[in-house]
Amino acid sequence: MGDLRKGYLLALATFVIWGLFPFYFKALGQFSALEIIAQRAIWSALFGALALLFWRHPGWWRELLAHPRRLAVLTLSGLLIAGNWLIYVWAINNGHIIEASLGYYINPLVNILLGMLVLRERLRPLQWVAVLLAAGGVGLQLMTLGQLPWIALALALSFSVYGLLRKMAPVAALPGLVVETWLLLPIALVWVLLFGSGPSTEPAFWQTPEALWLIAAGPVTLIPLLCFNSAARYLPYSTLGFMQYIAPTLLLVFAVLVFGEAFPADKQMAFFFIWSGLAVYSYDTWRLLRKNRSKP
């Protein structure tokens, strides 16, 4: 019972931190999205290396070198997660928090589709209903706005494909993330040194209090991930799946109530279709779990 309680607290901490990200990125409004992502890669690589000194994963490096294909997959997954970060930060700082939250609501339903198309998994009837409802929500936005909700779709697709690639490269979460940031580090350094023009490219900037906000990108990235990994040891993965909706729900609430983004009726209707799909998906998952538990 104590482990279960610990798991719930760790999972709650994870998703609340992710849900509070808009406040952090709004505090970095003076920096461009590219500058934030470059610094995030640099400081995540540094703090990730330090984290590996405390959370040891014996033999992970030798195992990675013994399977070079995994290194190639981690390179691709690193580029994908960097693109996901870039779109997310740009969306937050340009008044598109609602659409960002929509992306993370769609994400589990995109996972279902990728499982069918790539892993040849068969969809259960209620999963088809969930996917079609989500598609209806996206289609509704296309009709009412005259354009695809590209931010939501890009966030959902990039994160779903990222998860699929990480499944293909079975490396523990922390070492995998650290390797991804190490592989991104040369790109980030080249951008900062040769193409960067923001405040962080000036040596004098690193003597100011504002520099601490960029340095914090390292722990801000790693702490919720470590909480998530710990929670996964104590909770069923399906429980984590249900709790993941805390983060996009907080994004939506903050977007409307704190940052004053418009949430007109047509967007509400699109969200209604997405939420209906998630409700069907959640019910189907709960029913399957209950059926499996009842088996002798």
Side-chain angles (χ1 to χ4, degrees):
M1 189 66 180
D3 284 349
L4 193 63
R5 184 170 179 269
K6 187 185 297 183
Y8 277 114
L9 290 173
L10 286 166
L12 185 63
T14 299
F15 298 121
V16 168
I17 291 171
W18 282 340
L20 292 172
F21 266 13
F23 293 97
Y24 172 69
F25 289 120
K26 286 285 187 182
L28 298 176
Q30 62 174 309
F31 307 101
S32 70
L34 271 173
E35 190 173 4
I36 294 171
I37 296 311
Q39 293 295 333
R40 189 177 187 180
I42 292 169
W43 293 106
S44 294
L46 176 60
F47 281 93
L50 292 174
L52 277 178
L53 295 177
F54 296 96
W55 285 275
R56 296 182 183 277
H57 293 74
W60 70 269
W61 183 245
R62 287 192 299 274
E63 185 180 350
L64 192 60
L65 291 178
H67 299 86
R69 183 174 171 273
R70 294 181 188 176
L71 199 59
V73 173
L74 285 175
T75 302
L76 184 55
S77 65
L79 292 172
L80 267 173
I81 199 62
N84 182 273
W85 290 349
L86 181 62
I87 296 167
Y88 180 78
V89 173
W90 183 89
I92 294 298
N93 285 343
N94 286 272
H96 298 287
I97 302 177
I98 290 177
E99 197 169 337
S101 75
L102 178 64
Y104 291 112
Y105 279 122
I106 295 173
N107 183 68
L109 301 175
V110 175
N111 289 344
I112 294 174
L113 274 179
L114 286 177
M116 178 187 70
L117 297 174
V118 180
L119 303 177
R120 304 299 180 188
E121 296 174 354
R122 297 183 64 181
L123 298 191
R124 298 186 295 275
L126 284 179
Q127 287 182 318
W128 274 113
V129 173
V131 170
L132 289 174
L133 283 168
V138 173
L140 188 64
Q141 277 217 309
L142 178 61
M143 288 187 295
T144 55
L145 301 179
Q147 61 183 27
L148 278 173
W150 70 268
I151 295 172
L153 292 176
L155 287 172
L157 284 169
S158 59
F159 201 74
S160 294
V161 175
Y162 170 78
L164 182 66
L165 288 173
R166 288 302 302 270
K167 185 178 179 66
M168 295 166 60
V171 182
L174 180 59
L177 178 69
V178 172
V179 171
E180 285 170 351
T181 55
W182 286 348
L183 292 168
L184 290 173
L185 188 58
I187 301 173
L189 289 174
V190 165
W191 185 87
V192 168
L193 295 174
L194 299 183
F195 303 104
S197 58
S200 66
T201 60
E202 301 293 333
F205 168 79
W206 296 100
Q207 301 173 22
T208 66
E210 288 78 12
L212 294 175
W213 284 102
L214 283 183
I215 294 172
V220 161
T221 299
L222 293 170
I223 288 172
L225 179 68
L226 293 173
C227 289
F228 180 83
N229 293 335
S230 299
R233 292 203 297 267
Y234 302 117
L235 291 177
Y237 200 71
S238 58
T239 302
L240 281 180
F242 294 139
M243 292 184 73
Q244 76 171 350
Y245 301 126
I246 293 172
T249 300
L250 287 175
L251 287 181
L252 178 61
V253 170
F254 293 144
V256 176
L257 299 183
V258 178
F259 300 112
E261 286 192 23
F263 194 38
D266 52 4
K267 265 190 178 176
Q268 292 175 31
M269 186 58 68
F271 267 78
F272 174 77
F273 274 88
I274 302 295
W275 286 330
S276 298
L278 288 174
V280 172
Y281 164 76
S282 300
Y283 170 73
D284 182 62
T285 303
W286 171 80
R287 192 182 63 166
L288 183 65
L289 289 171
R290 189 178 178 185
K291 181 179 178 182
N292 290 337
R293 286 197 191 105
S294 64
K295 288 181 179 179

